[in-house]
Amino acid sequence: MGDDGPLTQLAIRACEGRALPYVHCGTDLRNCLAAVRPWAALDARDREGLAGPRRRRDECPHGARSSVARVCAEEGVPCALFTSAFGPGLAAEGLSLPGVLVARTGHVYVPWDPAALPVRLLEDLEAGRPARASGGVWHGVYGPDLLDGVLDLLLDGMSGGVNFFPPEGWPQSDWVRQMAAVAECDAGLGAQADADSH
């Protein structure tokens, strides 16, 4: 199940990258499950604005996430869905249903979004400029890794709630230094940004 947002785009890319066949579900989930007989269902609709603007209810067929989880559980189809780790979430009922994987995540960013903070910071680091990190806590999640992790867990038969975010959070300055090291950029640029933020 999808919409036109980044989570759906990430799900399609992840399936195509693994050569996993997929079908976009129409407006009737139960009939789709009966016709396709999938090994799993993935609800990639972004009802909470995890990877962009929050979607209106009329943009998200199939009803609430709990309805999707309930239908999948009744049909015996493993199901995964996404919810915010930092709010009330829309998937509480899914945690009590068999075969439902609830991926709790922070803000999801994608590498093709030039407005995303990590993309801007990485561009600064690669250009030799200090990466300007705020004094806040980093809870962001890299979208491609999130979808790969969820697909891995679905394949393994995992269910229940799983956290896909730094549980204690990193200071943004520490996160920038780690990003600089992974990107093989000058880690001093991250340290300089930390000093500039005080």
Side-chain angles (χ1 to χ4, degrees), residues 3 5 11 18 24 42 72 104 116 127 141 146 172 185 189 192:
D3 51 32
R18 293 169 178 238
H24 268 257
L42 177 61
C72 289
R104 300 185 194 102
V141 177
L146 170 66
Q172 283 194 15
C185 295
L189 295 173
Q192 182 178 346

Side-chain angles (χ1 to χ4, degrees), residues 52-171:
R54 184 186 305 263
R55 298 294 190 260
R56 297 190 317 265
R57 287 186 184 271
D58 59 355
E59 295 174 334
C60 296
H62 313 298
R65 287 200 173 97
S66 57
S67 301
V68 168
R70 192 176 323 105
V71 167
C72 289
E74 289 169 0
E75 297 296 326
V77 176
C79 171
L81 50 93
F82 301 91
T83 191
S84 172
F86 303 104
L90 299 177
E93 184 182 351
L95 291 171
S96 65
L97 296 169
V100 178
L101 174 67
V102 177
R104 300 185 194 102
T105 182
H107 176 75
V108 178
Y109 66 95
V110 293
W112 60 81
D113 179 6
L117 176 62
V119 175
R120 294 195 323 261
L121 292 174
L122 189 57
E123 286 176 355
D124 285 342
L125 289 168
E126 289 178 339
R129 298 185 299 265
R132 305 279 177 205
S134 74
V137 176
W138 179 254
H139 290 292
V141 177
Y142 184 56
D145 287 350
L146 170 66
L147 266 296
D148 278 338
V150 167
L151 286 177
D152 285 344
L153 293 177
L154 271 176
L155 287 164
D156 289 344
M158 177 77 175
S159 62
V162 178
N163 294 334
F164 284 90
F165 63 95
E168 298 176 11
W170 281 355

